[in-house]
RNA sequence: GACCCGUUCGUCUAGCGGUUAGGACUCCGCCCUUUCACGGCGGCAACACGGGUUCGAGUCCCGUACGGGUCGCCA
């Protein structure tokens, strides 16, 4: 039987890293086994579900490249894929329970009669977990009273307003959609016995369960929207590559067992399996996430780097179609972690005048003979005929010799004079991209500042 | 409060009875170098605690502590 996994988000907010990671694991598992990945929208709570949220989630999955074989926008023969449109199916399943005498009404709500027996979740990650719902659900904790109170273990599956409840629709849809493997957050582990009870009531063999540990923020508590790195759309905006985010999410809670941290999507598909899923919760580390991104940046083809950088170049007002952009990007790719950092590295090549960093200029001024160095430099460069890297270097050497100093003594004022700062991309390639005329002009202007 | 899951460097993890406890991020040092990076080399740094079992325990068992989760007519 073919593997069928699903991601079943509730459209009540943003696409969160926890949800995205769940989606990724389901996607990887399906792709690894050549099965299907299904997207199902759990929008039974009409009060909280919004189309805006749905769009954000769809956009996020699309950006990550987690394509679904069945679901919204794609279709499929087990649809519809929005639970709000599946009421007729739920009604049919409910009547089966009614006929079996397994449900009853309680103040307008419908409750499922929980059998007095033990259910064992055979979890691929957590092992066997056994619970008696009748016993476990006979008391509940009242958060306000801060104590346990009597409770009805028979859980509600349909609200008085007619809306169906998560546990019920989740199970019905997993049956109807032929889901074979349920990979979800560990917060659902305690719910699973309820689901097993429903599967049994419908006489259906339950799917394989794998409850994955949770991602926490650096302080060890639940990630919230406010935590850095929590929301998927922010990754795109701050200059992450989708595959790098996938790579990092895969690492948070899964290990390929070998000493490898950087994975392409193909490698992840090839290596992902449930046995590699970690048992304990993990804390999010933004620094490592950025490092993974930098590694992916280094491996990008020139064309892909240009495409990925485009929005950030445009935002910075840089001429994306300029012939020198590809070369400039190569100067930047090894020194940044995020795409958003690229413009600052290369913009000096494309502006009229560099932005002079005051402290850098001050450093040049404080050196003995700074003005002489710049004019010697200028003279040396003026002699350069063909404006190639080697010729430029030779020009600088010539300038240095005329002063009786080493080449390095001129590189520093040259960098500040032309690029405006002591830090930045490699000097000679930048000079080359700028062109002789611009370089000489900038050096003249810089002389006047000294 | 009850029940469930978990616990290896600060963080992500490898380890599945005998290891100098390995790798990665971070941090620090050195090298490379025209700056900053990149890269290379090296360093700091961990088996929560207490009992067992065993010739031998990070690895198996039981407690304790700590962390997380669940206990909705949210999902």
């Amino acid at each position: 039987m073919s593997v069928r996994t699903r991601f079943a988000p509730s459209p009540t907010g943003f696409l969160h890293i926890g949800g995205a990671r769940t989606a990724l694991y389901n996607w990887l598992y399906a792709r690894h086994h050549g099965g299907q990945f299904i997207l199902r929208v759990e929008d039974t709570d009409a009060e909280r579900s919004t189309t805006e949220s749905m769009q954000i989630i769809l956009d996020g999955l699309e950006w990550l490249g987690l394509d679904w074989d069945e679901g919204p926008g794609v279709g499929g023969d087990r649809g519809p894929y929005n639970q709000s449109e599946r009421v007729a199916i739920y009604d049919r399943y409910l009547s089966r329970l009614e006929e079996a005498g397994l449900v009853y009404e309680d103040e307008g709500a419908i409750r499922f009669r929980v059998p007095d027996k033990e259910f064992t979740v055979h979890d691929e990650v957590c092992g066997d977990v056994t619970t008696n719902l009748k016993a476990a659900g006979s008391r509940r904790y009242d958060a306000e009273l801060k104590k346990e109170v009597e409770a009805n273990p028979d859980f509600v599956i349909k609200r008085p307003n007619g809306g169906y409840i998560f546990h019920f629709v989740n199970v019905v849809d997993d049956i109807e959609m032929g889901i074979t493997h349920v990979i979800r957050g560990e917060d659902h582990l305690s719910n699973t016995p309820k689901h097993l009870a429903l599967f049994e009531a419908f006489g259906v063999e339950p799917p394989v369960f794998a409850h994955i540990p949770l991602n926490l923020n650096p302080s060890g508590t639940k990630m919230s929207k406010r935590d850095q790195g929590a929301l998927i759309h922010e990754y795109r905006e701050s200059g992450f590559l989708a595959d790098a985010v996938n790579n990092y999410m895969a690492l948070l809670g899964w290990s390929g067992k070998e000493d490898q941290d950087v994975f392409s999507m193909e490698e992840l598909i090839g290596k992902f399996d449930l046995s590699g899923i970690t048992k304990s919760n993990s804390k999010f580390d933004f620094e490592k996430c950025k490092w993974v991104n930098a590694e992916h940046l280094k491996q990008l083809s020139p064309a892909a780097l240009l495409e990925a950088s485009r929005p950030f170049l445009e935002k910075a007002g840089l001429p994306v179609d300029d012939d020198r952009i590809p070369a400039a990007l190569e100067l930047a790719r090894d020194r940044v972690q995020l795409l958003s950092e690229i413009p600052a590295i290369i913009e000096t090549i494309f502006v009229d005048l560099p932005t002079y960093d005051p402290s850098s200029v001050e450093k040049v001024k404080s050196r003995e003979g700074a003005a002489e160095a710049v004019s010697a430099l200028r003279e040396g460069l003026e002699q350069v005929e063909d404006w190639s890297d080697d010729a430029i270097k030779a020009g600088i050497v010539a300038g240095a010799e005329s002063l009786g100093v080493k080449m390095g003594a001129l590189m520093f004022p040259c960098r500040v004079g032309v690029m405006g700062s002591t830090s930045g991309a490699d000097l000679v390639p930048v000079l080359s991209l700028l062109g002789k005329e611009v370089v000489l002009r900038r050096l003249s202007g810089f002389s006047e500042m000294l």
Side-chain angles (χ1 to χ4, degrees):
Chain A
M1 185 174 60
S2 172
V3 164
R4 288 172 64 83
T5 64
R6 44 75 167 177
F7 178 52
S10 181
T12 56
F14 296 103
L15 180 59
H16 196 265
I17 185 152
R21 190 187 57 148
T22 301
L24 173 66
Y25 284 17
N26 278 283
W27 184 88
L28 285 173
Y29 192 75
R31 294 289 171 263
H32 178 87
H33 290 283
Q36 287 88 47
F37 173 64
I38 292 129
L39 179 62
R40 178 172 82 219
V41 183
E42 305 224 332
D43 56 352
T44 55
D45 187 349
E47 315 257 306
R48 300 200 307 145
S49 301
T50 68
T51 54
E52 294 75 35
S53 168
M54 195 60 243
Q55 199 52 51
I56 290 170
I57 292 168
L58 294 178
D59 288 348
L61 291 173
E62 210 165 299
W63 179 67
L64 289 169
L66 307 181
D67 56 325
W68 49 99
D69 303 299
E70 296 172 30
V74 178
D77 53 12
R78 314 282 188 112
Y81 293 90
N82 278 51
Q83 290 185 330
S84 55
E85 297 167 20
R86 298 173 60 80
V87 176
I89 296 167
Y90 306 139
D91 288 342
R92 211 168 67 232
Y93 271 76
L94 177 60
S95 61
R96 281 173 59 183
L97 295 181
E98 282 168 346
E99 283 160 22
L102 292 173
V103 295
Y104 61 92
E105 197 190 313
D106 178 21
E107 296 180 3
I110 306 287
R111 284 186 187 270
F112 173 70
R113 250 183 244 286
V114 162
D116 186 6
K117 62 174 280 192
E118 292 191 328
F119 285 97
T120 298
V121 185
H122 302 290
D123 194 272
E124 291 292 308
V125 177
C126 307
D128 285 0
V129 180
T130 302
T131 314
N132 183 319
L133 288 168
K134 195 86 178 176
S138 64
R139 303 177 69 77
R140 59 167 250 269
Y141 186 67
D142 189 306
E144 284 181 14
L145 298 174
K146 290 194 170 178
K147 63 171 191 177
E148 290 193 330
V149 296
E150 289 295 316
N152 185 348
D154 297 334
F155 56 91
V156 171
I157 60 174
K158 190 178 186 184
R159 304 183 183 90
N161 72 6
Y164 285 98
I165 296 293
F166 164 71
H167 304 296
F168 180 75
V169 294
N170 195 267
V171 167
V172 170
D173 286 345
D174 282 347
I175 292 171
E176 281 286 297
M177 295 180 181
I179 302 303
T180 60
H181 298 257
V182 172
I183 304 168
R184 53 172 29 163
E186 199 188 87
D187 47 339
H188 285 296
L189 182 58
S190 301
N191 288 146
T192 308
K194 292 179 184 174
H195 302 173
L196 290 180
L198 286 169
F199 276 106
E200 185 179 80
F202 291 122
V204 174
E205 193 66 26
V208 173
F209 290 101
H211 287 91
I212 61 181
L214 272 20
N215 278 161
L216 308 174
N217 61 29
S219 0
T221 57
K222 212 169 182 177
M223 278 268 237
S224 78
K225 311 99 223 131
R226 297 201 165 284
D227 288 312
Q228 188 173 42
L231 305 178
I232 295 302
H233 69 268
E234 289 181 352
Y235 283 90
R236 169 159 45 174
E237 290 155 12
S238 53
F240 281 91
L241 263 13
D243 284 0
V245 176
N246 283 321
N247 187 162
Y248 182 67
M249 290 195 298
L251 251 32
L252 269 183
W254 172 83
S255 163
K257 306 294 184 193
E258 286 154 23
D259 293 336
Q260 182 179 353
D261 288 290
V262 182
F263 294 89
S264 67
M265 289 302 268
E266 290 67 34
E267 288 174 313
L268 284 178
I269 290 171
K271 297 189 176 186
F272 186 82
D273 63 347
L274 298 180
S275 69
I277 292 177
T278 310
K279 294 187 189 338
S280 55
N281 292 348
S282 53
K283 289 178 190 161
F284 186 82
D285 182 357
F286 200 65
E287 287 306 316
K288 181 142 187 183
C289 187
K290 285 196 292 188
W291 175 82
V292 171
N293 198 61
E295 293 302 305
H296 280 256
L297 233 33
K298 284 172 194 158
Q299 291 172 13
L300 237 38
S301 72
L305 178 63
L306 176 60
E307 260 335 284
S309 308
R310 185 179 290 274
F312 298 91
L313 300 177
E314 282 170 352
K315 195 175 168 196
L318 296 179
V320 178
D321 298 319
D322 190 295
D323 292 346
R324 297 169 298 171
I325 284 283
L329 290 177
E330 293 308 321
L331 295 179
R333 82 193 296 166
D334 277 356
R335 41 209 329 133
V336 300
Q337 292 190 304
L338 301 174
L339 293 165
S340 53
E341 295 164 357
I342 291 177
I345 304 281
I346 66 172
E347 67 182 349
T348 188
I349 298 168
F350 303 98
V351 293
D352 281 343
L353 272 180
T355 308
Y356 285 101
D357 166 51
S359 74
S360 298
V361 174
E362 217 37 59
K363 272 182 202 160
V364 174
K365 276 188 182 174
S366 67
R367 285 195 173 187
E368 195 104 350
E372 291 72 22
V374 173
S375 61
L377 181 65
R378 200 177 179 289
E379 279 161 31
L381 288 173
E382 201 143 30
Q383 306 303 317
V384 176
E385 293 288 333
D386 81 301
W387 196 249
S388 66
D389 284 16
D390 286 346
I392 291 168
K393 227 174 254 182
I396 297 172
V397 169
E401 278 171 354
S402 76
L403 273 183
V405 296
K406 282 193 289 185
M407 179 187 179
L410 290 196
M411 295 302 274
F412 180 72
C414 184
R415 164 176 294 281
V416 176
V418 177
M419 296 171 66
S421 169
T422 54
S423 70
D426 286 345
L427 179 58
V428 173
V430 169
L431 296 181
S432 164
L433 287 173
L434 277 168
K436 184 175 179 178
E437 193 191 331
V438 173
V439 169
L440 293 180
R441 183 164 10 105
R442 288 188 182 185
L443 286 175
S444 299
F446 188 57
S447 291
E448 289 163 23
M449 294 172 66
L450 296 174

